[in-house]
Amino acid sequence: MTYNNRVLLIYTGGTIGMNRNPRTGALEPFDFEHLLSNVPELKQFDTRIDTYQFNPPIDSSDMTPALWTDLSHCIADHYDEFDGFVVLHGTDTMAYTASALSYMLENLTKPVIFTGSQLPIGMLRTDGKENLITSIEIAAAKDQEGHARVPEVGIYFNGRLFRGNRTTKQSAEEFNAFESFNYPHLADAGVEILYHTDRILKPAWDKPMTPHYRLDNNVIIFSLFPGIREDLVRHIIATPNLRSIVMRTFGSGNAPQRPWVMQALREATQRGKIVINISQCMQGCVEMGRYDTGYQLQEAGVISGYDSTVESAVTKLMFLQSHYDDPEQVRHFMTQSIRGEISV
């Protein structure tokens, strides 16, 4: 049979490829071929689907930067052989992995679509079947010029395609597990798949994709809350080798106006540590000039994370820190949109 397109289906692990143990009732991985046998509709595609399986499969809560590097290698090593890639991944850390891959695959000219499910694909009411089928269709889709319709890292779930580094898991129970609160959908799948072309990144088609494999995970996330203790914050800031902090603040980027808060953050930035201000709100943007407390954070050397997700900010820092020793260069690029991750 002659195929018009080729897609590589990469199974890292996750609920979509699990089976229920009849003795314990627990979910456990099963062979990848069983996954395909549960979706006979895949044989109707005019797309050749090859498969690659992480062995052993990874529970997404065990995902690490080293595994992101493995995934980046897998895609880069097979890049010229395929028109697109679908990555099956557990939902818990999918937004982190998709964000990381968006930075690690520079000038992406082919789709890398992450998907999974809330129920195993062998269960009667699974959402995995539609997620998988539509993800493959998106990964293979080309425009009239023969270019990929979605040349970026995306997450497809429950009829919607999101930019990977704009996405957050919002529900552990509903089929609409993900949302992109600060950026509209890249595509919506109904009777037809409607691609919102004006929202999709445009690569330099005449230049190659450049993979990156190094990450520096000397970064931490902490959330502000009423009653946060000075000694604990200072302990975090003084952590050896720590290079950056994603600080989750209130509202549009506000923090307690206690003198010790600003002094501790000022000391951190003066020592070369990077502090990024990300709102605890799911939707909206950090506006540090809006209230006096935000202005004081600016004065202390804290950088706005704009409308970035936490997942995107953390992985972007890992990526930039692996490339630049100078904190000023990292700060500079954290205020730039390098993969469509923030609105500036």
Side-chain angles (χ1 to χ4, degrees), residues 254-267:
N254 302 313
Q257 296 193 54
R258 307 207 171 181
W260 71 261
V261 174
M262 300 303 166
Q263 183 60 30
L265 294 171
R266 186 176 293 108
E267 290 172 8

Side-chain angles (χ1 to χ4, degrees), residues 128-287:
K129 188 174 288 191
E130 191 276 327
N131 287 347
L132 175 58
I133 290 170
T134 307
S135 293
I136 291 171
E137 188 169 344
I138 291 170
K142 294 181 180 179
D143 62 19
Q144 292 179 339
E145 297 178 351
H147 293 145
R149 297 295 299 265
V150 188
E152 57 175 288
V153 178
I155 290 178
Y156 178 80
F157 236 83
N158 197 43
R160 297 175 294 182
L161 178 67
F162 313 100
R163 176 167 295 160
N165 58 32
R166 290 282 195 153
T167 311
T168 295
K169 184 176 181 181
Q170 68 165 355
S171 176
E173 297 182 349
E174 298 179 359
F175 287 153
N176 59 331
F178 291 92
E179 186 53 84
S180 173
F181 291 98
N182 290 322
Y183 196 77
H185 306 160
L186 302 183
D188 290 285
V191 174
E192 301 286 340
I193 299 176
L194 176 61
Y195 294 94
H196 305 292
T197 307
D198 57 321
R199 304 170 186 172
I200 298 170
L201 293 175
K202 304 296 187 293
W205 296 108
D206 58 337
K207 295 181 180 178
M209 187 276 288
T210 304
H212 301 276
Y213 305 119
R214 292 183 294 121
L215 295 167
D216 179 348
N217 62 345
N218 285 298
V219 56
I220 197 166
I221 304 167
F222 76 77
S223 295
L224 298 178
F225 58 90
I228 191 168
R229 285 178 45 163
E230 177 180 2
D231 57 334
L232 299 181
V233 171
R234 289 189 176 277
H235 184 72
I236 291 170
I237 289 172
T239 302
N241 301 319
L242 180 66
R243 294 184 62 186
S244 57
I245 297 166
V246 174
M247 182 174 66
R248 301 183 68 235
T249 55
F250 307 127
S252 57
N254 302 313
Q257 296 193 54
R258 307 207 171 181
W260 71 261
V261 174
M262 300 303 166
Q263 183 60 30
L265 294 171
R266 186 176 293 108
E267 290 172 8
T269 58
Q270 288 174 348
R271 292 176 192 160
K273 289 183 170 60
I274 301 147
V275 183
I276 305 297
N277 186 350
I278 302 289
S279 175
Q280 293 178 26
C281 299
M282 299 287 266
Q283 191 165 15
C285 182
V286 166
E287 299 178 62

Side-chain angles (χ1 to χ4, degrees), residues 77-127:
D77 291 348
H78 297 92
Y79 196 75
D80 293 336
E81 303 167 41
F82 295 94
D83 299 286
F85 302 83
V86 172
V87 182
L88 301 182
H89 192 290
T91 58
D92 286 349
T93 58
M94 187 185 291
Y96 285 97
T97 303
S99 295
L101 265 289
S102 76
Y103 301 120
M104 298 173 81
L105 303 174
E106 183 180 349
N107 195 48
L108 192 61
T109 58
K110 299 178 180 181
V112 176
I113 309 300
F114 282 78
T115 194
S117 66
Q118 297 286 61
L119 289 173
I121 205 159
M123 292 184 69
L124 188 61
R125 293 183 57 250
T126 183
D127 54 327

Side-chain angles (χ1 to χ4, degrees), residues 291-313:
Y291 297 102
D292 183 56
T293 176
Y295 179 76
Q296 289 185 43
L297 289 172
Q298 268 186 317
E299 290 287 289
V302 176
I303 301 171
S304 174
Y306 299 96
D307 56 354
S308 174
T309 64
V310 169
E311 296 93 333
S312 180

